[in-house]
Amino acid sequence: MKPKLPIAELLVLLVVALPFLYLLKVYPTLPPKVPTHFGINGQPNAYSNRSFLWVTTSILAGISIFVYLLIRFLPRIDPKKKAKYSATVFNKIAVAIVLLMSLIGCYSIYAAKAGSFQLRGFLPVILGIFFAFMGNLMHSIKPNYFVGIRTPWTLENEETWRKTHQLGGKLWFVGGILIAITGFLVPARAEVFVMMSILIVIVLWPVIFSYTYFKSLERIAG
């Protein structure tokens, strides 16, 4: 008897299929030419045949499946055998990435159908929820060479890794909530600037902290 596909993998395949199902539904209503690239103002500046949407949807699906499988099986390919200690967390991250990519794929199809790409609302919310979710998991990631805040100082010292990921988890969670809020409260003209500012802070702050904390441990030890 052939082994059955686990329910988790079936759900992942269903999530990957969502953009294809959505595109199949709206395809007859699309004009022969649809916008496939948008400017900073959300207005289209490039058009392609509507069949090109199948290509872009397939590319996004391929990327999400590749990333899912890579993260899912990291414990098996890790030469140091450290990734196995975070296998459960890796599985959650892999599923979250697939869901994010599928939602972006659906929104890209919607934007092509609507004829404009609106940053407000939907996109900041799903990005914010993703970062908040990642922040909630970050403190559970054990030292490894693949996932997490992998600076020379966190990889060198487990205490630095732990402290950095505790800080990073809090920053990513709060930053994700703030990004989600920008979709409703921040004026449209300032939205991209605010989102990028938040992202820069939550990415760079833990990196700088990892260096300063590692150096403080060196001074204490020395």
mmCIF file of all heavy atoms in Angstrom, residues 68-93:
data_model
loop_
_atom_site.group_PDB
_atom_site.id
_atom_site.type_symbol
_atom_site.label_atom_id
_atom_site.label_comp_id
_atom_site.label_asym_id
_atom_site.label_seq_id
_atom_site.Cartn_x
_atom_site.Cartn_y
_atom_site.Cartn_z
ATOM 1 N N TYR A 68 9.240 26.032 0.656
ATOM 2 C CA TYR A 68 8.600 25.138 1.633
ATOM 3 C C TYR A 68 9.409 23.858 1.811
ATOM 4 O O TYR A 68 9.699 23.443 2.943
ATOM 5 C CB TYR A 68 7.179 24.798 1.179
ATOM 6 C CG TYR A 68 6.521 23.749 2.040
ATOM 7 C CD1 TYR A 68 5.957 24.086 3.261
ATOM 8 C CD2 TYR A 68 6.499 22.409 1.645
ATOM 9 C CE1 TYR A 68 5.371 23.119 4.067
ATOM 10 C CE2 TYR A 68 5.919 21.443 2.443
ATOM 11 C CZ TYR A 68 5.350 21.800 3.654
ATOM 12 O OH TYR A 68 4.784 20.849 4.453
ATOM 13 N N LEU A 69 9.766 23.216 0.690
ATOM 14 C CA LEU A 69 10.507 21.961 0.772
ATOM 15 C C LEU A 69 11.893 22.174 1.377
ATOM 16 O O LEU A 69 12.369 21.339 2.159
ATOM 17 C CB LEU A 69 10.631 21.341 -0.620
ATOM 18 C CG LEU A 69 9.324 20.835 -1.244
ATOM 19 C CD1 LEU A 69 9.562 20.339 -2.657
ATOM 20 C CD2 LEU A 69 8.701 19.725 -0.395
ATOM 21 N N LEU A 70 12.529 23.294 1.025
ATOM 22 C CA LEU A 70 13.856 23.573 1.559
ATOM 23 C C LEU A 70 13.819 23.707 3.076
ATOM 24 O O LEU A 70 14.614 23.080 3.794
ATOM 25 C CB LEU A 70 14.414 24.854 0.933
ATOM 26 C CG LEU A 70 15.794 25.304 1.422
ATOM 27 C CD1 LEU A 70 16.843 24.259 1.080
ATOM 28 C CD2 LEU A 70 16.162 26.655 0.820
ATOM 29 N N ILE A 71 12.880 24.535 3.578
ATOM 30 C CA ILE A 71 12.783 24.735 5.023
ATOM 31 C C ILE A 71 12.278 23.474 5.717
ATOM 32 O O ILE A 71 12.760 23.106 6.796
ATOM 33 C CB ILE A 71 11.857 25.931 5.331
ATOM 34 C CG1 ILE A 71 12.454 27.225 4.754
ATOM 35 C CG2 ILE A 71 11.640 26.084 6.830
ATOM 36 C CD1 ILE A 71 11.582 28.438 4.947
ATOM 37 N N ARG A 72 11.341 22.805 5.082
ATOM 38 C CA ARG A 72 10.740 21.598 5.676
ATOM 39 C C ARG A 72 11.781 20.510 5.924
ATOM 40 O O ARG A 72 11.723 19.792 6.933
ATOM 41 C CB ARG A 72 9.647 21.084 4.725
ATOM 42 C CG ARG A 72 8.922 19.838 5.172
ATOM 43 C CD ARG A 72 7.929 20.117 6.259
ATOM 44 N NE ARG A 72 7.089 18.953 6.491
ATOM 45 C CZ ARG A 72 7.459 17.863 7.159
ATOM 46 N NH1 ARG A 72 8.665 17.793 7.668
ATOM 47 N NH2 ARG A 72 6.624 16.864 7.327
ATOM 48 N N PHE A 73 12.748 20.401 5.003
ATOM 49 C CA PHE A 73 13.714 19.312 5.103
ATOM 50 C C PHE A 73 15.106 19.784 5.508
ATOM 51 O O PHE A 73 16.082 19.050 5.321
ATOM 52 C CB PHE A 73 13.782 18.555 3.773
ATOM 53 C CG PHE A 73 12.511 17.820 3.450
ATOM 54 C CD1 PHE A 73 11.624 18.320 2.505
ATOM 55 C CD2 PHE A 73 12.185 16.645 4.098
ATOM 56 C CE1 PHE A 73 10.443 17.659 2.219
ATOM 57 C CE2 PHE A 73 11.016 15.967 3.812
ATOM 58 C CZ PHE A 73 10.131 16.477 2.879
ATOM 59 N N LEU A 74 15.187 20.972 6.076
ATOM 60 C CA LEU A 74 16.475 21.466 6.556
ATOM 61 C C LEU A 74 17.145 20.516 7.552
ATOM 62 O O LEU A 74 18.358 20.292 7.479
ATOM 63 C CB LEU A 74 16.309 22.854 7.192
ATOM 64 C CG LEU A 74 16.311 24.050 6.249
ATOM 65 C CD1 LEU A 74 16.163 25.341 7.034
ATOM 66 C CD2 LEU A 74 17.584 24.091 5.425
ATOM 67 N N PRO A 75 16.390 19.955 8.510
ATOM 68 C CA PRO A 75 17.049 19.048 9.460
ATOM 69 C C PRO A 75 17.763 17.881 8.802
ATOM 70 O O PRO A 75 18.728 17.341 9.347
ATOM 71 C CB PRO A 75 15.884 18.563 10.338
ATOM 72 C CG PRO A 75 14.878 19.670 10.270
ATOM 73 C CD PRO A 75 14.970 20.174 8.858
ATOM 74 N N ARG A 76 17.313 17.469 7.605
ATOM 75 C CA ARG A 76 17.931 16.322 6.941
ATOM 76 C C ARG A 76 19.203 16.702 6.189
ATOM 77 O O ARG A 76 20.071 15.842 5.965
ATOM 78 C CB ARG A 76 16.938 15.686 5.960
ATOM 79 C CG ARG A 76 15.684 15.134 6.622
ATOM 80 C CD ARG A 76 14.838 14.375 5.613
ATOM 81 N NE ARG A 76 13.591 13.891 6.200
ATOM 82 C CZ ARG A 76 12.694 13.160 5.553
ATOM 83 N NH1 ARG A 76 12.927 12.816 4.286
ATOM 84 N NH2 ARG A 76 11.587 12.763 6.144
ATOM 85 N N ILE A 77 19.303 17.971 5.763
ATOM 86 C CA ILE A 77 20.458 18.370 4.960
ATOM 87 C C ILE A 77 21.468 19.191 5.751
ATOM 88 O O ILE A 77 22.524 19.536 5.228
ATOM 89 C CB ILE A 77 20.017 19.164 3.719
ATOM 90 C CG1 ILE A 77 19.335 20.484 4.119
ATOM 91 C CG2 ILE A 77 19.093 18.341 2.849
ATOM 92 C CD1 ILE A 77 18.967 21.361 2.949
ATOM 93 N N ASP A 78 21.140 19.499 6.997
ATOM 94 C CA ASP A 78 22.044 20.297 7.815
ATOM 95 C C ASP A 78 23.275 19.462 8.181
ATOM 96 O O ASP A 78 23.170 18.462 8.897
ATOM 97 C CB ASP A 78 21.324 20.751 9.093
ATOM 98 C CG ASP A 78 22.237 21.551 10.011
ATOM 99 O OD1 ASP A 78 23.294 22.028 9.539
ATOM 100 O OD2 ASP A 78 21.896 21.696 11.198
ATOM 101 N N PRO A 79 24.469 19.859 7.722
ATOM 102 C CA PRO A 79 25.667 19.059 8.017
ATOM 103 C C PRO A 79 26.035 19.065 9.494
ATOM 104 O O PRO A 79 26.682 18.138 9.984
ATOM 105 C CB PRO A 79 26.756 19.730 7.173
ATOM 106 C CG PRO A 79 26.279 21.141 6.974
ATOM 107 C CD PRO A 79 24.784 21.030 6.892
ATOM 108 N N LYS A 80 25.629 20.104 10.222
ATOM 109 C CA LYS A 80 25.945 20.205 11.642
ATOM 110 C C LYS A 80 24.892 19.534 12.522
ATOM 111 O O LYS A 80 25.053 19.449 13.743
ATOM 112 C CB LYS A 80 26.078 21.677 12.047
ATOM 113 C CG LYS A 80 27.215 22.412 11.348
ATOM 114 C CD LYS A 80 28.571 21.884 11.788
ATOM 115 C CE LYS A 80 29.692 22.714 11.185
ATOM 116 N NZ LYS A 80 31.031 22.241 11.626
ATOM 117 N N LYS A 81 23.751 19.131 11.915
ATOM 118 C CA LYS A 81 22.676 18.441 12.637
ATOM 119 C C LYS A 81 22.084 19.288 13.764
ATOM 120 O O LYS A 81 21.590 18.763 14.760
ATOM 121 C CB LYS A 81 23.174 17.107 13.208
ATOM 122 C CG LYS A 81 23.779 16.164 12.178
ATOM 123 C CD LYS A 81 22.794 15.839 11.071
ATOM 124 C CE LYS A 81 23.422 14.910 10.037
ATOM 125 N NZ LYS A 81 22.501 14.636 8.906
ATOM 126 N N LYS A 82 22.105 20.615 13.588
ATOM 127 C CA LYS A 82 21.530 21.498 14.604
ATOM 128 C C LYS A 82 20.099 21.907 14.271
ATOM 129 O O LYS A 82 19.324 22.271 15.150
ATOM 130 C CB LYS A 82 22.399 22.745 14.761
ATOM 131 C CG LYS A 82 23.754 22.491 15.400
ATOM 132 C CD LYS A 82 24.494 23.794 15.642
ATOM 133 C CE LYS A 82 25.797 23.552 16.390
ATOM 134 N NZ LYS A 82 26.515 24.820 16.693
ATOM 135 N N ALA A 83 19.757 21.869 12.983
ATOM 136 C CA ALA A 83 18.435 22.323 12.559
ATOM 137 C C ALA A 83 17.320 21.434 13.113
ATOM 138 O O ALA A 83 16.170 21.878 13.234
ATOM 139 C CB ALA A 83 18.350 22.366 11.032
ATOM 140 N N LYS A 84 17.641 20.195 13.467
ATOM 141 C CA LYS A 84 16.602 19.271 13.955
ATOM 142 C C LYS A 84 15.967 19.759 15.243
ATOM 143 O O LYS A 84 14.825 19.405 15.548
ATOM 144 C CB LYS A 84 17.197 17.885 14.169
ATOM 145 C CG LYS A 84 18.291 17.813 15.228
ATOM 146 C CD LYS A 84 18.868 16.407 15.342
ATOM 147 C CE LYS A 84 19.975 16.342 16.390
ATOM 148 N NZ LYS A 84 20.545 14.981 16.495
ATOM 149 N N TYR A 85 16.672 20.592 15.999
ATOM 150 C CA TYR A 85 16.131 21.084 17.262
ATOM 151 C C TYR A 85 15.038 22.139 17.053
ATOM 152 O O TYR A 85 14.342 22.504 18.006
ATOM 153 C CB TYR A 85 17.253 21.659 18.120
ATOM 154 C CG TYR A 85 18.322 20.642 18.458
ATOM 155 C CD1 TYR A 85 19.613 20.773 17.970
ATOM 156 C CD2 TYR A 85 18.032 19.535 19.250
ATOM 157 C CE1 TYR A 85 20.601 19.832 18.268
ATOM 158 C CE2 TYR A 85 19.005 18.591 19.557
ATOM 159 C CZ TYR A 85 20.289 18.751 19.048
ATOM 160 O OH TYR A 85 21.258 17.821 19.340
ATOM 161 N N SER A 86 14.915 22.642 15.833
ATOM 162 C CA SER A 86 13.885 23.644 15.527
ATOM 163 C C SER A 86 12.944 23.159 14.434
ATOM 164 O O SER A 86 12.307 23.963 13.759
ATOM 165 C CB SER A 86 14.542 24.960 15.093
ATOM 166 O OG SER A 86 15.423 25.460 16.077
ATOM 167 N N ALA A 87 12.848 21.850 14.262
ATOM 168 C CA ALA A 87 12.063 21.293 13.152
ATOM 169 C C ALA A 87 10.603 21.742 13.187
ATOM 170 O O ALA A 87 10.021 22.096 12.156
ATOM 171 C CB ALA A 87 12.146 19.770 13.172
ATOM 172 N N THR A 88 9.996 21.753 14.359
ATOM 173 C CA THR A 88 8.591 22.165 14.472
ATOM 174 C C THR A 88 8.412 23.624 14.085
ATOM 175 O O THR A 88 7.452 23.977 13.367
ATOM 176 C CB THR A 88 8.085 21.949 15.908
ATOM 177 O OG1 THR A 88 8.228 20.565 16.268
ATOM 178 C CG2 THR A 88 6.622 22.347 16.025
ATOM 179 N N VAL A 89 9.325 24.465 14.526
ATOM 180 C CA VAL A 89 9.262 25.889 14.173
ATOM 181 C C VAL A 89 9.457 26.066 12.673
ATOM 182 O O VAL A 89 8.762 26.864 12.026
ATOM 183 C CB VAL A 89 10.328 26.693 14.947
ATOM 184 C CG1 VAL A 89 10.258 28.173 14.582
ATOM 185 C CG2 VAL A 89 10.140 26.503 16.439
ATOM 186 N N PHE A 90 10.393 25.330 12.086
ATOM 187 C CA PHE A 90 10.643 25.414 10.647
ATOM 188 C C PHE A 90 9.390 25.057 9.855
ATOM 189 O O PHE A 90 9.086 25.684 8.830
ATOM 190 C CB PHE A 90 11.782 24.485 10.250
ATOM 191 C CG PHE A 90 13.146 24.959 10.694
ATOM 192 C CD1 PHE A 90 14.245 24.135 10.598
ATOM 193 C CD2 PHE A 90 13.319 26.229 11.214
ATOM 194 C CE1 PHE A 90 15.503 24.563 11.002
ATOM 195 C CE2 PHE A 90 14.566 26.669 11.633
ATOM 196 C CZ PHE A 90 15.651 25.832 11.520
ATOM 197 N N ASN A 91 8.673 24.033 10.296
ATOM 198 C CA ASN A 91 7.447 23.634 9.604
ATOM 199 C C ASN A 91 6.420 24.766 9.598
ATOM 200 O O ASN A 91 5.761 25.035 8.582
ATOM 201 C CB ASN A 91 6.842 22.393 10.260
ATOM 202 C CG ASN A 91 7.701 21.155 10.065
ATOM 203 O OD1 ASN A 91 8.569 21.124 9.193
ATOM 204 N ND2 ASN A 91 7.468 20.144 10.873
ATOM 205 N N LYS A 92 6.277 25.445 10.730
ATOM 206 C CA LYS A 92 5.334 26.564 10.818
ATOM 207 C C LYS A 92 5.761 27.712 9.909
ATOM 208 O O LYS A 92 4.924 28.342 9.246
ATOM 209 C CB LYS A 92 5.235 27.045 12.268
ATOM 210 C CG LYS A 92 4.608 26.033 13.215
ATOM 211 C CD LYS A 92 4.584 26.541 14.644
ATOM 212 C CE LYS A 92 3.976 25.534 15.605
ATOM 213 N NZ LYS A 92 3.978 26.017 17.008
ATOM 214 N N ILE A 93 7.056 27.994 9.881
ATOM 215 C CA ILE A 93 7.570 29.062 9.014
ATOM 216 C C ILE A 93 7.334 28.717 7.547
ATOM 217 O O ILE A 93 6.931 29.579 6.754
ATOM 218 C CB ILE A 93 9.068 29.288 9.284
ATOM 219 C CG1 ILE A 93 9.276 29.867 10.684
ATOM 220 C CG2 ILE A 93 9.671 30.221 8.233
ATOM 221 C CD1 ILE A 93 10.728 29.988 11.095
#
